[in-house]
C-alpha cells in the first residue's frame, strides 16, 4: 500500500452493500472514501439492513441510502439507476455475498444495487465475503470468473477467521485495501481514456502478434474415458484477454474448458497434446510473444481402444510421452521473439522452475507453488513468482488471475522495452 492515502477528491463512488456479517466494514470504508475526498452514494440490498442500518451509512456518506429500484421522495425515481450509473467513476460492491455475485454474473435486476450495476458505465470492483466452502464452491468460482470475463475487477477474499468459526479464505478485504484498489482502478481508467478515447486500455502491444496456450489436454484411452488434469484455462484466457485489450493480435490455442472465448481473440480449440503441438508449431514462427500457459499432459495412452473397456479386478494402462511442445518452441525461438513458460510445482519449486527456464530456452517462467493457498488450478486467484532469464525474480502477492495477467504483461513488456533501447 502507498505511504500516504490516495487522493479521491471530486470522485464519485457508488458503494453497494449486501447481506453479509461483513457489512459492518462498510462504515469505515465510507469514512475512508470520504476522507480521501470522494462523494459516496451507498446502495444496499434489503438483507444488508439486517447487519447495518441505512441511518449509519447515510450519516457517514451524507446522502440518503437507496435500496429499492424506485426510491420514494426521489425526483425521476424510475430512472435513478441510470443517472447513478452515469454519475459514478467507480462502483464498489463490498461486501459481495455469494447470492449477489451470482446475480451480478447472470444479469439479475431486482434491487437498486443490481439495476445500477447493469446501467453503470464505470469500472466495477467486487469484494467477496462469505464462508470458506461457499467461496470455494465451483458455482461461486464460476460466477467470479464470469464477472472477470465481463470486465469487472474481483478482489480475492482474504484469509483468516470466519464468522462460522472456520479459518480460511472468505473474509472481505480490509477497507484500506479496498480504498487503495479503488484509487488504482480510477487512475487506470483515466489513463486509459487519456491514451485512447476510442479503445479500451493501453495499446502497448499494437502491431504485435501474441500466441497463448491455455487449459488442459484430454488423452482418451477409449471412447468414454480420458486422462486429464485440473486446469480450468482461466490463467491463459486472462492473458489472451489482456493482450488483446493492449492492442495485440492474439491467437489462443486452448484445450477443453467451459470458459467463454475472450473478445477480439482468434481461438483454436484442441483436445489432445498432439493436437495442441500441431497448432502451436503452426503458429509459433509468426508470434512476437508466446505465453505457454496450458497444462499439457506429459503422457498419453500408448494404445487407444475403439470400444469401451469393461471393468475388471485390475487394469494396467501403458503410457508414452507426449511431445515436449515448450522445448520445441524454445529450440526454434527466433531472434527477438519472447517466450514465457509456466511451471507448477509442489517441491523444490524455485530450483525446478529455474532449471526449466534454462533447459527450454525461455525468457521468463511463471512459477506456481501448489503448496501456497490461492495458487494454481481452480480458484480465480493466483500467487506466482516471476523468474527472468537474467536471474531476477519477483514474488507477486495473492491476486485475481486477471491482475496476474496484467502484471506478467507489464513486467515482460517493460524488460523487453529496456533491452530494445
Amino acid at each position: 500500500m502507498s505511504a500516504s492515502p490516495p487522493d479521491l477528491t471530486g470522485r464519485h463512488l457508488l458503494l453497494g452493500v449486501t447481506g453479509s456479517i461483513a457489512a459492518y466494514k462498510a462504515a469505515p470504508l465510507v469514512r475512508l472514501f470520504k476522507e480521501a475526498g470522494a462523494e459516496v452514494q451507498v446502495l444496499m440490498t434489503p438483507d444488508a439492513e439486517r447487519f447495518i442500518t441505512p441511518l449509519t451509512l447515510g450519516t457517514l456518506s451524507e446522502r440518503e441510502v437507496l435500496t429499492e429500484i424506485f426510491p420514494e421522495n426521489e425526483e425521476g425515481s424510475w430512472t435513478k439507476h441510470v443517472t447513478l450509473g452515469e454519475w459514478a467513476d467507480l462502483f464498489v460492491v463490498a461486501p459481495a455475498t455469494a447470492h449477489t455475485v451470482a446475480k451480478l454474473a447472470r444479469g439479475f435486476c431486482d434491487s437498486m444495487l443490481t439495476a445500477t450495476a447493469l446501467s453503470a458505465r464505470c469500472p466495477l470492483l467486487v469484494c467477496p465475503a462469505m464462508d470458506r466452502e461457499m467461496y470455494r464452491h465451483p458455482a461461486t468460482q464460476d460466477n467470479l470468473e464470469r464477472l472477470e470475463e465481463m470486465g469487472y475487477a474481483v478482489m480475492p477474499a482474504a484469509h483468516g477467521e470466519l464468522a462460522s468459526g472456520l479459518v480460511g479464505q472468505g473474509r472481505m478485504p480490509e477497507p484500506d485495501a479496498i480504498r487503495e484498489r479503488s484509487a488504482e482502478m480510477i487512475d487506470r481508467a483515466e489513463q486509459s481514456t487519456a491514451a485512447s478515447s476510442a479503445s479500451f486500455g493501453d495499446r502497448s502491444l499494437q502491431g504485435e502478434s501474441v500466441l497463448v496456450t491455455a487449459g488442459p489436454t484430454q488423452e482418451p484411452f477409449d471412447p468414454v474415458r480420458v486422462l486429464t488434469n485440473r486446469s480450468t484455462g482461466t490463467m491463459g484466457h486472462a492473458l489472451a484477454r489482456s493482450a488483446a485489450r493492449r492492442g495485440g493480435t492474439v491467437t489462443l490455442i486452448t484445450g477443453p474448458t467451459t470458459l467463454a472465448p475472450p473478445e477480439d481473440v482468434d481461438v483454436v480449440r484442441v483436445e489432445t497434446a498432439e493436437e495442441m503441438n500441431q497448432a502451436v508449431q503452426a503458429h509459433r514462427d509468426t508470434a512476437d510473444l508466446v505465453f505457454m500457459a496450458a497444462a499439457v499432459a506429459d503422457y498419453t495412452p500408448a494404445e487407444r481402444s475403439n470400444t469401451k473397456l469393461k471393468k475388471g479386478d485390475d487394469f494396467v494402462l501403458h503410457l508414452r510421452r507426449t511431445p515436449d511442445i515448450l522445448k520445441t518452441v524454445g529450440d526454434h525461438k527466433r531472434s527477438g521473439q519472447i517466450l514465457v513458460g509456466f511451471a507448477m510445482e509442489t517441491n523444490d519449486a524455485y530450483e525446478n522452475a529455474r532449471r526449466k527456464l534454462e533447459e527450454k530456452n525461455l525468457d521468463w517462467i511463471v512459477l506456481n507453488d501448489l503448496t501456497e493457498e490461492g495458487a494454481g488450478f481452480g480458484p480465480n486467484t493466483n500467487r506466482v513468482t516471476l523468474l527472468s532469464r537474467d536471474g531476477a525474480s519477483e514474488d507477486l502477492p495473492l491476486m485475481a488471475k486477471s491482475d496476474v495477467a496484467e502484471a506478467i504483461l507489464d513486467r515482460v513488456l517493460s524488460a523487453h522495452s529496456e533491452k530494445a533501447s
Side-chain angles (χ1 to χ4, degrees):
M1 295 183 185
S2 60
S4 58
D7 183 9
L8 295 174
T9 302
R11 308 300 187 214
H12 298 164
L13 271 63
L14 293 172
L15 176 61
V17 182
T18 71
S20 162
I21 195 169
Y24 76 90
K25 292 184 180 180
L29 181 55
V30 171
R31 186 181 295 279
L32 287 173
F33 282 150
K34 293 288 289 183
E35 288 176 351
E39 295 184 45
V40 183
Q41 173 63 65
V42 178
L43 311 178
M44 296 178 69
T45 64
D47 283 343
E49 297 181 20
R50 296 171 177 261
F51 300 94
I52 189 169
T53 66
L55 178 61
T56 298
L57 297 180
T59 301
L60 292 173
S61 65
E62 301 177 287
R63 287 174 173 264
E64 181 181 358
V65 172
L66 304 178
T67 302
E68 301 298 330
I69 296 180
F70 306 115
E72 297 180 2
N73 306 319
E74 283 280 347
E75 184 178 352
S77 62
W78 68 280
T79 59
K80 187 67 175 179
H81 57 291
V82 177
T83 56
L84 285 175
E86 294 178 338
W87 171 82
D89 295 306
L90 179 70
F91 192 161
V92 180
V93 183
T97 60
H99 191 55
T100 297
V101 166
K103 287 183 176 182
L104 292 173
R106 306 297 162 176
F108 279 54
C109 184
D110 58 354
S111 69
M112 179 59 83
L113 190 158
T114 54
T116 306
L118 285 177
S119 302
R121 300 181 180 181
C122 63
L124 196 147
L125 174 62
V126 177
C127 305
M130 62 199 74
D131 204 64
R132 183 182 68 188
E133 302 310 322
M134 295 176 70
Y135 185 72
R136 288 178 174 177
H137 196 283
T140 301
Q141 290 299 316
D142 180 66
N143 286 329
L144 291 172
E145 289 173 6
R146 183 179 177 88
L147 290 177
E148 290 187 322
E149 290 169 10
M150 292 162 54
Y152 292 8
V154 177
M155 279 190 84
H159 185 279
E161 186 174 351
L162 306 172
S164 64
L166 298 173
V167 175
Q169 195 172 4
R171 290 174 61 91
M172 173 179 147
E174 291 304 312
D176 56 352
I178 296 174
R179 179 182 63 175
E180 295 286 339
R181 180 64 182 277
S182 298
E184 291 171 3
M185 288 182 64
I186 291 174
D187 287 344
R188 178 177 291 182
E190 290 182 345
Q191 291 170 7
S192 173
T193 301
S196 175
S197 61
S199 61
F200 180 92
D202 69 71
R203 314 307 291 171
S204 55
L205 285 172
Q206 190 73 44
E208 302 282 350
S209 176
V210 183
L211 176 62
V212 182
T213 67
T217 63
Q218 293 183 351
E219 311 298 323
F221 57 87
D222 72 12
V224 177
R225 305 177 183 92
V226 299
L227 299 178
T228 189
N229 55 60
R230 300 178 185 274
S231 173
T232 62
T234 307
M235 192 69 251
H237 276 64
L239 278 166
R241 185 179 302 107
S242 296
R245 287 174 174 171
R246 293 176 183 233
T249 301
V250 182
T251 299
L252 172 65
I253 301 174
T254 178
T257 77
T258 61
L259 301 176
E263 294 183 3
D264 302 320
V265 170
D266 181 22
V267 179
V268 178
R269 298 188 184 279
V270 299
E271 179 178 322
T272 67
E274 180 56 42
E275 291 174 356
M276 181 166 286
N277 180 51
Q278 293 177 10
V280 169
Q281 306 314 329
H283 289 84
R284 71 176 190 221
D285 291 338
T286 58
D288 300 303
L289 296 93
V290 182
F291 296 89
M292 301 289 285
V296 182
D298 293 320
Y299 296 92
T300 190
E303 296 180 355
R304 186 178 304 175
S305 174
N306 293 324
T307 59
K308 180 182 176 182
L309 298 174
K310 297 302 181 181
K311 289 186 291 186
D313 293 336
D314 294 296
F315 180 73
V316 177
L317 187 63
H318 295 281
L319 304 176
R320 61 176 172 81
R321 284 295 306 269
T322 58
D324 192 332
I325 304 174
L326 184 58
K327 189 174 189 310
T328 302
V329 176
D331 288 344
H332 293 84
K333 186 174 65 171
R334 58 179 170 78
S335 176
Q337 188 178 53
I338 300 174
L339 178 57
V340 182
F342 283 69
M344 186 164 286
E345 303 290 345
T346 58
N347 57 283
D348 300 324
Y350 187 92
E351 293 77 8
N352 288 333
R354 178 63 68 182
R355 185 182 306 111
K356 184 175 181 179
L357 184 149
E358 297 295 335
E359 291 177 352
K360 312 287 185 176
N361 194 26
L362 309 180
D363 297 288
W364 294 78
I365 194 163
V366 182
L367 169 61
N368 284 265
D369 186 342
L370 287 182
T371 63
E372 297 188 14
E373 185 164 0
F377 295 144
N380 71 317
T381 59
N382 215 349
R383 187 195 303 273
V384 305
T385 299
L386 303 182
L387 288 74
S388 68
R389 186 80 175 182
D390 61 9
S393 66
E394 178 182 1
D395 295 321
L396 297 182
L398 181 67
M399 296 191 294
K401 286 184 176 177
S402 58
D403 291 332
V404 175
E406 295 289 349
I408 292 171
L409 286 170
D410 285 344
R411 305 308 189 273
V412 170
L413 293 175
S414 176
H416 180 58
S417 176
E418 289 177 4
K419 287 183 179 180
S421 60

